[in-house]
Amino acid sequence: SRNLALELVRVTEAAALAAARWLGKGDKNCADQAAVDMMRKVLNGIPMDGIVVIGEGEKDEAPMLYCGEHIGDGTPPMVDIAVDPLDGTTLTAQGRSGAIAVMALAERGCMYDPGPCFYMEKLAVGPDVDPRRISLDYSVAHNLEAVANCLGKPVSDVTVLVLDRPRHAKLIADIRAAGARIRMISDGDVGGAIETAKPEAPVDVMMGIGGTPEGVIAAAALKCMGGSIQGRLWARNEEDAEAIRASGRDLTKILHTEDLVRGNDCFFAATG
């Protein structure tokens, strides 16, 4: 039988190569569509019975790779699939580096379904940081002190990855007040979370609010790499909050890596 992990690499490679044709062309939608089309085409030839849990949106929004779509040739194993055919569409359109094609796979029923929750607070670290010593309930300064202690260096040498968004003004001020460094990224927080877990990692921790689907994919990646992530659903406004509560989800609960992707049978692939 063919190795499922290698199949995933073929999928992300194909999507990345398709999107690369649109690098620097100024059209993020065409770049994304090229990645989606190619990813779907390659996925359908894989021997598995997959359901898309994290995809390109609901069925009425996305013609393919939509949430709930069946993928693969229908033979075992039964799996949950999370895809982001192009994480960093704007980066690609602008001809900048940092975009990746990603997908994750876990046993059926093991991936967190974000439902109507578009955003979540995130706290991601690599394998050298004890996840029990940090929490979204703690202050920024407390978490940075814990990260510094785990890594054996002063807070002034800790680098925090943050998405460059207006909503992060207070977070950025808090990080600077604690004395840590900040590396801002314009897009692509799946790739950002992965950065924290690389050997000789260029960043030590990722903080801030980003997409919930990306949080689930990042959880799969960090699980495979030995890192960890915490997430907490975040509502942009009261309308968001109502939809989240109506779906039975809790806006106060901290979701850990194991809540986002359960079990040990988890695969992740990214190509940039």
Side-chain angles (χ1 to χ4, degrees), residues 100-253:
I100 53 174
V102 296
M103 76 166 293
L105 186 147
E107 291 178 89
R108 179 69 52 84
C110 285
M111 268 185 194
Y112 180 79
D113 180 357
C117 317
F118 296 110
Y119 290 96
M120 65 168 25
E121 296 174 67
K122 299 175 193 174
L123 179 59
V125 290
D128 294 329
V129 176
D130 183 347
R132 294 168 300 184
R133 296 186 59 184
I134 58 172
S135 172
L136 286 169
D137 281 338
Y138 299 161
S139 68
V140 168
H142 182 109
N143 282 327
L144 290 174
E145 189 71 44
V147 169
N149 287 340
C150 288
L151 298 177
K153 59 184 177 183
V155 172
S156 57
D157 284 348
V158 170
T159 302
V160 186
L161 193 94
V162 180
L163 262 177
D164 188 4
R165 298 288 185 273
R167 63 176 176 262
H168 288 148
K170 183 180 184 307
L171 172 65
I172 288 165
D174 288 348
I175 293 168
R176 293 221 165 105
R181 292 192 178 97
I182 296 176
R183 182 172 147 205
M184 304 276 248
I185 55 169
S186 61
D187 294 279
D189 71 340
V190 173
I194 294 169
E195 290 289 300
T196 65
K198 286 181 177 175
E200 307 294 316
V203 294
D204 302 307
V205 54
M206 185 181 85
M207 293 179 166
I209 295 159
T212 306
E214 290 85 351
V216 178
I217 297 173
L222 290 169
K223 188 164 208 171
C224 294
M225 298 172 78
S228 64
I229 187 169
Q230 296 179 25
R232 183 164 51 200
L233 302 176
W234 184 78
R236 292 169 293 184
N237 48 43
E238 191 50 42
E239 190 181 338
D240 266 11
E242 282 298 321
I244 292 168
R245 283 193 287 265
S247 74
R249 292 168 176 83
D250 186 350
L251 279 161
T252 62
K253 184 184 179 187

Side-chain angles (χ1 to χ4, degrees), residues 1-11 46-49 76-79 103 105-106 265 267-269:
S1 66
R2 294 174 72 173
N3 183 322
L4 203 52
L6 289 178
E7 298 280 8
L8 301 199
V9 174
R10 291 185 186 101
V11 171
I46 295 179
M48 64 179 179
D49 178 1
M78 293 169 68
V79 293
M103 76 166 293
L105 186 147
D265 224 355
F267 296 90
F268 173 81

